[in-house]
Amino acid sequence: MSLFVLIPAYRPGPEFPGFVSDLIGRGAARVLVVDDGSGAEFRPLFDAVARHAEVLVCRHAVNLGKGVARTTSSVRRNRRNIRPSCTTNQKNVEM
């Protein structure tokens, strides 16, 4: 069984990369992190977690809330024609 984890994140703390690494270490096969408009000062934290092969980071330009983050997750999993800006292993990809 594969474990899929969704993390809607807005201005995460410095422990965030360690938290994501711990999830992967505990068996998370895929982790979708939605940066919900955190801003440029938080980009290094999101870039750090995007280095994991299991992690995909989608970025919202502004804070849209947890509900929209869940929608971003649903769009990603269902491969609809909506294309959020996402990063995996430091590369931008279209969904």
Side-chain angles (χ1 to χ4, degrees):
M1 177 174 74
S2 295
L3 179 63
F4 176 89
V5 179
L6 166 65
I7 304 173
Y10 178 69
R11 298 183 174 187
E15 69 283 352
F16 184 61
F19 170 71
V20 173
S21 293
D22 188 50
L23 286 173
I24 294 166
R26 292 174 182 255
R30 290 296 285 165
V31 180
L32 176 60
V33 175
V34 179
D35 171 4
D36 197 16
S38 297
E41 64 269 24
F42 294 90
R43 189 168 192 116
L45 293 173
F46 291 102
D47 289 346
V49 300
R51 291 184 184 106
H52 292 281
E54 300 87 353
V55 175
L56 178 66
V57 176
C58 294
R59 301 180 194 279
H60 294 166
V62 297
N63 183 270
L64 299 172
K66 287 182 192 174
V68 175
R70 288 187 200 125
T71 300
T72 299
S73 167
S74 177
V75 167
R76 167 64 183 125
R77 286 181 307 182
N78 293 327
R79 299 181 187 274
R80 294 184 186 157
N81 290 327
I82 300 172
R83 300 182 185 271
S85 172
C86 297
T87 303
T88 181
N89 295 331
Q90 301 178 335
K91 298 176 186 170
N92 287 331
V93 296
E94 286 192 3
M95 310 307 280

